[in-house]
Amino acid sequence: MKLQKLILASTATVLTIGAGLAFAQFQKPEDAIKYRQSVFTVMANSFGKIGAVVKGEAPYNKDEVAKNAAVVAMMSTLPWQAFGPGTEGGKAQSDVWSDNAKFKAAGDKMQLAVADLNKAAQSSDQESIKKAFGAAGATCKGCHDDFKKK
Ligand code: ASC
């Protein structure tokens, strides 16, 4: 009887650790999906504010652009931890998991591009901001084309 309890408890512990590895800090796959979608929502909001300036729809304010570029750069480091094994769903195509190396490479490319945008935004050189914004937007689109459900 005691041995059975011990085995049950051990099994529960192993299962708990296994689930913990699969979902990292997330209790359920839905939590990971909500997390990564929230990150992209905040990122898109700041990126869009820079876009309005670049397109001449909003006045250029160096501090605002720099702040939004810093938000985008920081947020760009976060969603990847929420695409772990067993977190399929949301707007992510199954290729995220079946072709994970390609997805990782696309994510790395985006992070480099938004880091460049952040650097450009610290200057007042609107031409370089515009160029870096375009390059960053292309990495967003590239990943959406390949990995996001329409
Ligand atoms: C945005 C936004 C994206 C990208 C992408 C660029 O402002 O929310 O996902 O730009 O549309 O093509």
Side-chain angles (χ1 to χ4, degrees):
M1 191 61 187
K2 267 187 182 164
L3 184 63
Q4 263 180 335
K5 268 189 184 165
L6 184 67
I7 290 168
L8 273 178
S10 306
T11 307
T13 305
V14 169
L15 286 176
T16 306
I17 292 169
L21 286 176
F23 303 123
Q25 72 273 45
F26 303 106
Q27 297 285 328
K28 310 186 292 286
E30 304 84 72
D31 294 345
I33 293 167
K34 198 194 278 182
Y35 179 93
R36 67 202 187 211
Q37 290 185 347
S38 302
V39 170
F40 287 125
T41 297
V42 173
M43 202 184 317
N45 181 280
S46 275
F47 194 68
K49 283 173 181 160
I50 301 170
V53 174
V54 164
K55 289 171 200 147
E57 296 163 4
Y60 174 63
N61 175 307
K62 185 192 167 182
D63 290 345
E64 276 298 307
V65 169
K67 187 183 82 177
N68 283 309
V71 168
V72 171
M74 204 271 267
M75 298 309 278
S76 77
T77 67
L78 297 177
W80 322 112
Q81 62 188 316
F83 282 101
T87 66
E88 286 87 344
K91 291 190 169 177
Q93 290 187 27
S94 57
D95 305 57
V96 167
W97 293 271
S98 64
D99 199 354
N100 195 248
K102 188 178 170 192
F103 177 67
K104 282 214 169 92
D108 287 349
K109 208 170 151 188
M110 184 274 275
Q111 289 182 76
L112 288 175
V114 299
D116 274 352
L117 174 62
N118 191 26
K119 206 168 156 196
Q122 310 309 315
S123 75
S124 297
D125 181 356
Q126 290 189 62
E127 265 316 300
S128 74
I129 292 169
K130 197 171 176 172
K131 224 173 132 185
F133 177 86
T139 67
C140 301
K141 186 179 183 306
C143 205
H144 291 172
D145 288 349
D146 291 341
F147 295 105
K148 190 181 175 192
K149 285 181 186 160
K150 302 296 168 286

